[in-house]
């Protein structure tokens, strides 16, 4: 992803589902106007989810996901179907492609039930209309082969998406035009060379969109910045790893929070994460804790997920835990063995996938929080950092 690209987490995720040979991949190729997916007459050509980030008019930045046939058979086929089901945890809208010469079967009905169970908006599209006599009964008929009604399909997807759009903000709704906001951004060995991490970029952009004035400093320059700024900032936002020293510098009459707390609010799980952090008090020796990251990256020698958080948990509680880590799409399906899930800020995951992970934790009776909120709690500054929010 280039520096000017929309992050994958902020793109609309569109998943295409259906039986083998219904023409899913052909429809995907027609919609994207690219040979994104392999196409053949052989059943099961698509064996794993195929993803493509792109700009798609009239939708804008999207992630298109083509999936394996939901009626796949055998040991490998069952595994492919499970991967297709996993895609349902992150799509914003589902397109069910039906072979128009056959119509709806139990396979399509099962998919519709899954869409409705997971509250995923969906469209049912009947492909191969070039082989049909009657295409006028109110259904969406397309022909990927002849490119018939493909533009209509894109318009239908756009209409369904627009109906669920929200006006949620990271932090722009917390400030007014010309307010100063100080952002504390540590620059250490883990900081990416020549750039800042995604949540920091997104906060800066949201503040600029609001007409506020972001001022970026390291923690070592924070005290002098507050003294020399000439006016009291409306808000200080800090990286969680320097939360404690920053809280000692920032006067109590200035609002203070963190990038992780803003991200939890933006993704829709702040209240759950706050309650999850407080569950740290009830942990016992030997409990198993899952520390999960939504992205994959090279871990530094003092990595927050594998080193700093486990160390802080042990020092705070005085107990020994079994720490299990996951990254990327490797989030476990069965969470019943864990006593706590601590997730990253999830800047690389879209809201639907984060909420899916949260819901799986809740359904298993496992508290769910994130890095920054857990750190704020164990540092004794959580209440101050969330006092501006309704949690």
């Amino acid at each position: 992803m280039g520096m000017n690209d929309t992050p994958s987490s902020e793109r609309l995720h569109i998943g295409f589902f259906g039986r083998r040979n219904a023409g899913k991949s052909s429809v995907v190729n027609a919609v994207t106007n690219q040979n994104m997916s392999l196409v053949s007459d052989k059943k099961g050509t698509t064996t794993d989810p195929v993803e493509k980030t792109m700009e798609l008019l009239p939708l804008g930045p999207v992630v298109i996901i083509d999936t394996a046939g939901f009626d796949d058979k055998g040991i490998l086929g069952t595994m492919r179907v499970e991967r297709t089901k996993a895609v349902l945890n992150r799509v914003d809208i589902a397109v069910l492609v039906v072979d128009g010469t056959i119509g709806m079967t139990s396979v399509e009905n099962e998919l519709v039930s899954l869409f409705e169970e997971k509250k995923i908006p969906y469209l049912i599209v009947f492909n191969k209309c070039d082989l049909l006599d009657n295409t006028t009964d109110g259904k969406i008929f397309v022909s990927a082969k002849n490119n018939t009604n493909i533009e209509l399909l894109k318009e239908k997807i756009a209409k369904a998406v627009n109906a669920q759009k929200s006006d949620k903000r990271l932090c722009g709704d917390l400030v007014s035009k010309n307010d100063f906001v100080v952002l504390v951004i540590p620059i250490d060995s883990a900081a990416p060379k020549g750039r800042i991490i995604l949540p920091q970029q997104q906060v800066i952009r949201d503040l600029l969109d609001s007409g506020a004035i972001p001022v970026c400093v390291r923690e070592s320059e924070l005290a002098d910045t507050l003294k020399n700024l000439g006016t009291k900032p409306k808000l200080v936002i800090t990286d969680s790893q320097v939360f404690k020293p920053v809280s000692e510098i920032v006067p109590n009459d200035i609002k203070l929070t963190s990038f992780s707390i803003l991200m939890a609010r933006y993704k829709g799980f702040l209240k759950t994460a706050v309650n999850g952090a407080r569950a740290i008090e009830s942990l016992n020796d030997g409990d198993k804790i899952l520390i999960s990251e939504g992205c994959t990256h090279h871990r530094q020698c003092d990595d927050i997920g594998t080193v700093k958080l486990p160390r802080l948990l042990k020092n705070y509680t005085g107990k020994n835990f079994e720490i299990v880590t996951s990254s990327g799409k490797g989030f476990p399906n069965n969470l019943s063995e864990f006593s706590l899930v601590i997730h990253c800020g999830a800047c690389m995951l879209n809201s639907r996938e984060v909420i899916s992970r949260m819901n799986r934790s809740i359904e298993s009776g496992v508290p769910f929080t994130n890095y920054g909120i857990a750190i704020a709690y164990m540092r004794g500054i959580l209440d101050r950092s969330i006092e501006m929010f309704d949690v």
Side-chain angles (χ1 to χ4, degrees), residues 337-351:
E337 62 183 316
F338 297 104
S339 299
L340 177 66
V341 173
I342 307 178
H343 207 284
C344 69
C347 64
M348 299 301 292
L349 304 178
N350 66 347
S351 295

Side-chain angles (χ1 to χ4, degrees), residues 1 6-13 51 53 63 348-350:
M1 185 186 78
T6 301
S8 176
S9 58
E10 297 298 306
R11 291 173 178 263
L12 174 73
H13 285 55
E51 297 187 20
T53 58
V63 177
M348 299 301 292
L349 304 178
N350 66 347

Side-chain angles (χ1 to χ4, degrees), residues 27-44:
V27 172
V28 167
N29 289 346
V31 166
T32 61
N33 198 29
Q34 298 180 13
N35 289 324
M36 174 180 149
S37 298
L38 289 175
V39 174
S40 80
D41 292 333
K42 184 178 178 180
K43 282 188 175 183

